[in-house]
Amino acid sequence: MEIRHSKHESWSDTESTSSNRVGYSGPLSGPILMNNKKSSSKKSARFKDGDDEYVEITLDIREDSVSVQNIKGGDPETAMLATRLEKRPSFGSQLSFRIRQVSQELKRMTSTKAAAPFNKVDRSKSGAARALQGLKFMTTKNVGSEGWSEVEKRFDELSVDGSLLKSLFGQCIGMNESKEFASELFEALARRRGITSSAISKAELREFWEQISDHGFDARLQTFFDMVDKDADGRITEEEVKEIIALSASANKLSKIQESAEEYAALIMEELDKDNLGYIEIYNLETLLLQAPSQSTNLVTDSRILSRLLSEKLVPTKERNPIKRWGRGLAYFLEDNWKRIWVLALWISICAGLFTWKFIQYKHRAVFDVMGYCVTTAKGAAETTKFNMALILLPVCRNTITWLRSRTKLGVVVPFDDNINFHKVVALGIAIGVGLHAGAHLTCDFPRLLHATDEEYEPMKPFFGEKRPNNYWWFVKGTEGWTGVAMVVLMAIAYILAQPWFRRNRLNLPKPIKKLTGFNAFWYSHHLFVIVYALFIVHGYFLYLSKKWYKKTTWMYLAVPMLLYACERLIRAFRSGYKSVKILKVAVYPGNVLSLHMSKPQGFKYTSGQYIFVNCAAVSPFQWHPFSITSSPADDYLSIHIRTLGDWTSQLKALFVKVCQPPSVNQSGLLRADIGKGENKPRLPKLLIDGPYGAPAQDYKKYDVLLLVGLGIGATPLISIVKDVLNNIKQQKEMEEGIENGVKNNKRKPFATKRAYFYWVTREQGSFEWFRGVMNEVAEYDRDRMIELHNYCTSVFEEGDARSALITMLQSLHHAKSGVDIVSGTRVKTHFARPNWHKVFKHVAVNHANQRVGVFYCGAPGLTGELRRLAQDFSRKTSTKFDFHKENF
């Protein structure tokens, strides 16, 4: 290649002219000799390719500006590249640097045409087209929709004497979560411009901004390459690859990748440095990026046209008529909540009927003439309180509800999944009733009676005695008074400590007070109900205004519910007494998760999605805590996964950690203990279990298709379902093979589910160790892809972000070579950031038209509304019907 200059100035380059290697686009090395005068001058450069192809560019240099006068030869890409010379540089010394840079790019382009051995990546392919959207340094999440104006505003706030420090660069451009990455980006941008200072001006920041916000893929690729190429020689060594892997892993909170950065750097060099040169160049990086499969390919359906039409069909159309809009919203609400509505309507009607009955009854009694509407209000509230005190026990009769859910058809009209919510609603009704009853008596009835005249008091003598009470204390010290006051105090304590602000320690309280809150305080205060019910019965017997036994109806309301609840507790105590389990395996996983594998008690039968209560006397002999079963009914063991969040779980974990050891090479977890049959068995805490109990997730068997969504530890009940579906698939295959061979199979009857989609979203990379065995088992046995597993790690930046670009490349390369995902450590490939739930539902709806899909969600309540809304929208606007179920979590 020849380079000539119209002023006969010599340009030199260390790049060998005989080299046939292409794709070099790093900064040129070697001097450029030219007259950098302020007077106007025109310069031209000609680039010769072979013997007869030239590209000639004529530049007009005036003062500190450059303009392109003429371009001869080349193609549109050459012309576009040449226009980069027209940018006004901040410093005169950078002018020659720009000319060097464009010259080198032109050399790369012309040499590409002559080099036959290298096949340039075809960017027209679909996979490459998606990859070109990647390597974005700036997104709307960084700076919103304002762009440079937002960055400029931040510069004005953060700068000191007109300069922005490197340490504040990340905050200025919106990379608050990736300060190390932003620092490396700053150094790369400064290095390209010859800036050695640790602070930049607004003009320099504007140049930085224009480069990192450039929509051109080549510009983004060059910026990323410069971040890796720290010595600016146009070549990336293995050590530099290792550093950028560690930086990307740190930015995405992937500690395991950070620890293995050296191993992954060697993998990249092995793949890209085929000639063992000890370095790779920018075209190697481009090849790796453009050939990496997109993260979102898993959601591509068989019919793109149908998918697009479906998207258009689901665009909400706003009804202009407010009455019709309100009516349609009401219809949707009734359709989705009719079970809850009729139950609440019935409950409110009964409460209102009882209140009205007692109100009218006492209005026609002599006491009304003295106490007025105060006594009618108090007695009406008392009647509803009796009813609610009886009713509140029924939703917590777990065995009864499990039996009704599993053995009867009542679940069609009764929302058993909302038993705890209904328990809370009834508790609110009790609080209102007690407030009205106690308030009317203490502030109205008693003062009126004390101030009544002798004539007014005459009809009251049969109830309060011949001698009129002379002070307020007379009412309080009596049996009716002190039992009522004691009940109000105990109920208030239990009700307040049951609120989520106190039960989950959400309030920032002083330490002495905070010790009195939390789950333990909630649990013990709730068991004050034994005393409350005893006082309630006594209070209901010693009444001022009712002396005949058959008019004292409190015991009538409570008899059946209390008997049922007492039987429930006896069954639990009896059953848990002989259901002590042997610990088979203990594992402590990242994320403060304790996994326990236990022996299955004889005759213990359960369905995936159900839960058990666990008691450990070494922690507390009285407390029982619920945990979802993570093993499958077909497994010969029982397993649970416990996340340590409160006092009880932390103490339980501390007990088991004492017997654990670091795992071997092929084992998962931070610590573990596999209890064998040897003589040196560690001394383990004794566990009792009670259950199983019904949960929303157990209804999965009636659906042909399942969409399972779990957030963090909320995946526990869904993992059991995944394992059961896998076992069902195995069994169906065995039955088919048995029928072909004439062998009769006496195993359980397979259920309806033929397809399952499991989406697990978690913040921490270490969380994937919890169920690594299940993931690998599904990947190994599910040859027909009946179960789709989708793991999402939200600590990793979304697809297309430059901070996760190298992780994406490395993930694809490693998975292709070994079949193992570098993030999860399983055969299931991990996706980054949060799922697009609209696309997820669309994917399922398109693939399963005219079918009913069971959507089961377990996790934080924040996502419940969105998933329920999407299930409703797709059910109404497509032929696929989605039934949404929320696990109480």
Side-chain angles (χ1 to χ4, degrees):
M1 177 181 288
E2 294 181 3
I3 302 178
R4 295 195 178 98
H5 197 282
S6 61
K7 292 285 187 181
H8 306 290
E9 296 170 350
S10 61
W11 290 19
S12 63
D13 192 337
T14 56
E15 177 80 358
S16 172
T17 57
S18 61
S19 173
N20 62 358
R21 184 172 293 276
V22 297
Y24 180 81
S25 60
L28 274 73
S29 57
I32 294 182
L33 304 177
M34 60 179 294
N35 297 322
N36 188 17
K37 297 181 180 180
K38 291 189 176 181
S39 58
S40 174
S41 64
K42 291 186 178 180
K43 303 182 180 183
S44 64
R46 291 190 297 163
F47 301 85
K48 182 178 180 183
D49 179 21
D51 297 327
D52 55 359
E53 292 187 19
Y54 286 91
V55 177
E56 182 174 340
I57 302 175
T58 304
L59 306 176
D60 183 16
I61 303 175
R62 294 178 180 273
E63 297 295 336
D64 197 24
S65 64
V66 179
S67 60
V68 177
Q69 291 293 313
N70 189 28
I71 302 176
K72 293 182 179 179
D75 51 22
E77 187 177 359
T78 307
M80 182 181 68
L81 182 62
T83 59
R84 291 170 58 183
L85 289 170
E86 293 186 328
K87 296 180 179 179
R88 182 184 299 274
S90 300
F91 302 95
S93 60
Q94 295 181 12
L95 181 58
S96 59
F97 184 83
R98 287 188 185 278
I99 296 176
R100 276 208 319 271
Q101 180 186 358
V102 176
S103 173
Q104 187 64 20
E105 292 290 342
L106 289 168
K107 287 170 62 181
R108 180 184 68 80
M109 290 164 51
T110 53
S111 63
T112 300
K113 298 176 182 178
F118 175 69
N119 295 322
K120 186 174 176 64
V121 177
D122 183 5
R123 294 185 181 177
S124 64
K125 295 179 180 179
S126 60
R130 283 191 296 271
L132 291 175
Q133 303 299 319
L135 275 179
K136 293 178 181 177
F137 292 92
M138 289 291 100
T139 64
T140 54
K141 291 183 179 180
N142 297 110
V143 294
S145 59
E146 299 299 325
W148 165 249
S149 61
E150 179 66 23
V151 174
E152 186 177 26
K153 180 180 177 182
R154 293 177 188 169
F155 177 88
D156 295 336
E157 295 174 354
L158 300 173
S159 61
V160 179
D161 297 330
S163 296
L164 179 72
L165 295 175
K166 182 176 75 172
S167 58
L168 299 175
F169 178 68
Q171 184 178 350
C172 187
I173 64 173
M175 284 190 180
N176 297 325
E177 300 175 355
S178 314
K179 292 185 178 180
E180 292 183 13
F181 189 91
S183 179
E184 290 293 335
L185 178 61
F186 178 94
E187 291 184 3
L189 296 169
R191 192 163 50 239
R192 174 164 281 272
R193 289 161 177 77
I195 300 173
T196 58
S197 173
S198 60
I200 54 174
S201 64
K202 183 183 288 189
E204 291 167 333
L205 177 64
R206 180 62 186 261
E207 284 195 33
F208 284 15
W209 164 258
E210 288 178 353
Q211 182 169 341
I212 61 179
S213 61
D214 194 321
H215 294 293
F217 175 74
D218 289 320
R220 300 197 304 269
L221 179 64
Q222 182 66 61
T223 302
F224 188 78
F225 185 87
D226 291 341
M227 288 183 65
V228 188
D229 183 23
K230 293 188 176 181
D231 55 5
D233 63 350
R235 297 170 177 177
I236 302 176
T237 63
E238 184 171 339
E239 183 63 27
E240 289 174 325
V241 173
K242 174 185 171 183
E243 290 180 11
I244 196 65
I245 289 176
L247 178 65
S248 297
S250 175
N252 291 280
K253 300 180 179 64
L254 300 174
S255 57
K256 293 186 178 297
I257 295 180
Q258 195 171 0
E259 294 169 2
S260 305
E262 186 172 352
E263 173 190 345
Y264 293 135
L267 176 65
I268 289 179
M269 295 301 293
E270 177 187 349
E271 178 69 17
L272 300 183
D273 184 20
K274 300 293 187 182
D275 299 328
N276 295 320
L277 299 174
Y279 61 86
I280 58 176
E281 299 175 355
I282 194 169
Y283 74 90
N284 301 116
L285 198 63
E286 179 183 6
T287 302
L288 181 62
L289 178 65
L290 296 184
Q291 291 180 349
S294 172
Q295 288 286 322
S296 59
T297 55
N298 65 300
L299 294 181
V300 176
T301 62
D302 296 334
S303 175
R304 293 179 180 274
I305 298 176
L306 180 58
S307 180
R308 186 174 66 253
L309 291 175
L310 186 59
S311 297
E312 294 172 356
K313 190 176 180 180
L314 285 170
V315 174
T317 55
K318 188 175 181 180
E319 176 62 55
R320 294 183 178 180
N321 189 323
I323 298 177
K324 289 184 178 180
R325 186 168 63 246
W326 182 85
R328 185 172 61 182
L330 179 61
Y332 287 168
F333 177 80
L334 294 174
E335 179 184 346
D336 295 325
N337 298 282
W338 68 269
K339 291 182 185 179
R340 300 182 182 94
I341 290 171
W342 85 259
V343 170
L344 286 176
L346 178 62
W347 173 70
I348 292 172
S349 299
I350 293 174
C351 289
L354 290 173
F355 184 92
T356 304
W357 170 54
K358 275 297 174 182
F359 188 94
I360 295 173
Q361 186 183 81
Y362 271 82
K363 188 177 180 182
H364 295 90
R365 292 182 62 174
V367 71
F368 180 75
D369 297 329
V370 179
M371 300 181 183
Y373 286 104
C374 297
V375 71
T376 56
T377 301
K379 288 303 179 178
E383 204 66 21
T384 61
T385 302
K386 294 175 192 177
F387 170 69
N388 286 327
M389 286 290 285
L391 184 63
I392 199 171
L393 294 174
L394 299 182
V396 291
C397 291
R398 293 190 291 265
N399 288 295
T400 303
I401 289 179
T402 301
W403 184 85
L404 291 173
R405 180 203 296 271
S406 306
R407 304 294 180 87
T408 71
K409 299 295 184 180
L410 284 176
V412 177
V413 293
V414 178
F416 288 118
D417 295 347
D418 291 317
N419 62 316
I420 298 300
N421 291 329
F422 186 61
H423 177 80
K424 296 175 182 178
V425 170
V426 176
L428 178 62
I430 291 174
I432 295 172
V434 169
L436 289 174
H437 178 76
H441 272 331
L442 295 174
T443 65
C444 185
D445 289 338
F446 297 161
R448 282 193 175 192
L449 192 63
L450 290 172
H451 295 88
T453 63
D454 293 338
E455 184 180 354
E456 291 174 335
Y457 182 73
E458 186 65 28
M460 299 294 102
K461 287 182 178 180
F463 308 112
F464 297 97
E466 291 293 329
K467 186 178 180 181
R468 183 174 55 186
N470 54 4
N471 56 45
Y472 202 85
W473 177 247
W474 186 91
F475 297 100
V476 177
K477 71 179 181 180
T479 304
E480 303 90 334
W482 71 263
T483 53
V485 172
M487 276 192 299
V488 170
V489 172
L490 294 177
M491 285 180 173
I493 293 173
Y495 190 82
I496 291 171
L497 293 178
Q499 301 307 309
W501 307 289
F502 297 98
R503 181 163 51 91
R504 297 182 181 272
N505 279 326
R506 292 177 180 173
L507 297 178
N508 189 16
L509 300 171
K511 285 187 178 180
I513 300 178
K514 197 166 188 176
K515 290 180 180 179
L516 301 176
T517 62
F519 186 85
N520 285 347
F522 155 75
W523 194 89
Y524 285 112
S525 66
H526 242 58
H527 280 73
L528 293 172
F529 81 94
V530 178
I531 302 174
V532 169
Y533 273 91
L535 293 171
F536 192 65
I537 293 172
V538 173
H539 184 80
Y541 184 80
F542 292 93
L543 297 177
Y544 290 119
L545 302 176
S546 298
K547 301 301 181 182
K548 296 179 181 180
W549 70 270
Y550 57 86
K551 291 186 177 181
K552 299 174 181 181
T553 57
T554 302
W555 66 273
M556 299 179 187
Y557 279 101
L558 298 180
V560 174
M562 287 187 68
L563 182 62
L564 178 63
Y565 186 76
C567 292
E568 282 264 340
R569 296 305 292 255
L570 287 173
I571 291 172
R572 292 186 212 173
F574 176 75
R575 187 168 55 188
S576 61
Y578 72 86
K579 282 188 178 178
S580 61
V581 293
K582 294 181 181 179
I583 305 298
L584 305 177
K585 185 174 74 173
V586 181
V588 179
Y589 290 109
N592 286 324
V593 169
L594 173 68
S595 172
L596 298 176
H597 284 224
M598 303 164 282
S599 61
K600 187 185 294 186
Q602 186 176 2
F604 186 86
K605 296 181 180 179
Y606 65 95
T607 301
S608 292
Q610 292 185 324
Y611 64 95
I612 58 174
F613 277 79
V614 177
N615 170 269
C616 181
V619 179
S620 171
F622 306 109
Q623 292 189 40
W624 291 81
H625 292 259
F627 299 100
S628 298
I629 302 172
T630 54
S631 54
S632 167
D635 293 332
D636 57 358
Y637 62 89
L638 195 65
S639 69
I640 57 175
H641 286 67
I642 303 171
R643 183 146 200 183
T644 55
L645 294 174
D647 301 335
W648 189 88
T649 51
S650 298
Q651 293 174 37
L652 183 71
K653 177 188 172 185
L655 287 175
F656 281 103
V657 164
K658 294 178 182 177
V659 301
C660 292
Q661 301 292 332
S664 60
V665 177
N666 297 324
Q667 293 179 321
S668 62
L670 302 175
L671 298 168
R672 62 186 295 129
D674 294 274
I675 316 301
K677 297 183 179 180
E679 298 180 358
N680 298 325
K681 292 183 179 180
R683 188 173 181 179
L684 297 170
K686 183 180 179 181
L687 294 184
L688 299 177
I689 65 170
D690 176 37
Y693 293 108
Q698 77 175 59
D699 296 329
Y700 67 95
K701 289 187 177 181
K702 65 182 182 181
Y703 295 100
D704 292 332
V705 182
L706 301 178
L707 175 56
L708 311 172
V709 180
L711 297 192
I713 197 65
T716 48
L718 309 180
I719 281 291
S720 179
I721 295 175
V722 169
K723 293 177 70 175
D724 200 31
V725 173
L726 179 63
N727 290 333
N728 186 58
I729 293 171
K730 292 180 183 178
Q731 184 179 329
Q732 285 181 326
K733 290 183 178 179
E734 291 175 2
M735 289 182 64
E736 292 172 0
E737 293 173 358
I739 292 173
E740 291 176 1
N741 298 328
V743 179
K744 188 176 180 180
N745 195 316
N746 293 321
K747 293 184 179 180
R748 61 174 183 163
K749 183 180 179 181
F751 47 87
T753 306
K754 301 295 187 294
R755 190 69 186 271
Y757 300 85
F758 176 54
Y759 287 80
W760 184 20
V761 185
T762 182
R763 284 196 303 262
E764 302 167 348
Q765 181 187 11
S767 302
F768 294 114
E769 288 193 34
W770 305 346
F771 308 115
R772 189 168 70 184
V774 178
M775 300 291 177
N776 288 332
E777 188 178 3
V778 171
E780 180 179 355
Y781 287 100
D782 186 22
R783 303 295 184 186
D784 299 328
R785 286 188 58 81
M786 303 300 292
I787 304 175
E788 278 193 20
L789 300 179
H790 301 275
N791 295 336
Y792 281 82
C793 186
T794 59
S795 69
V796 184
F797 291 96
E798 63 185 351
E799 177 187 351
D801 196 298
R803 288 166 286 187
S804 62
L806 189 63
I807 302 298
T808 304
M809 299 182 218
L810 184 59
Q811 181 193 44
S812 300
L813 181 60
H814 192 271
H815 198 275
K817 293 183 75 69
S818 64
V820 177
D821 181 63
I822 62 171
V823 178
S824 65
T826 69
R827 298 183 183 183
V828 181
K829 202 168 182 181
T830 304
H831 311 293
F832 301 151
R834 290 175 172 78
N836 183 325
W837 295 114
H838 185 276
K839 289 184 178 179
V840 170
F841 275 82
K842 181 174 68 175
H843 175 61
V844 176
V846 170
N847 291 333
H848 302 283
N850 300 309
Q851 287 185 280
R852 186 169 293 276
V853 179
V855 183
F856 296 89
Y857 170 64
C858 185
L863 186 59
T864 305
E866 181 181 357
L867 294 180
R868 178 178 280 116
R869 178 182 56 79
L870 286 170
Q872 294 168 357
D873 287 347
F874 277 85
S875 294
R876 296 178 186 122
K877 299 179 181 180
T878 69
S879 61
T880 308
K881 303 305 175 186
F882 293 86
D883 292 340
F884 181 78
H885 303 267
K886 167 68 170 69
E887 187 77 19
N888 293 318
F889 180 70

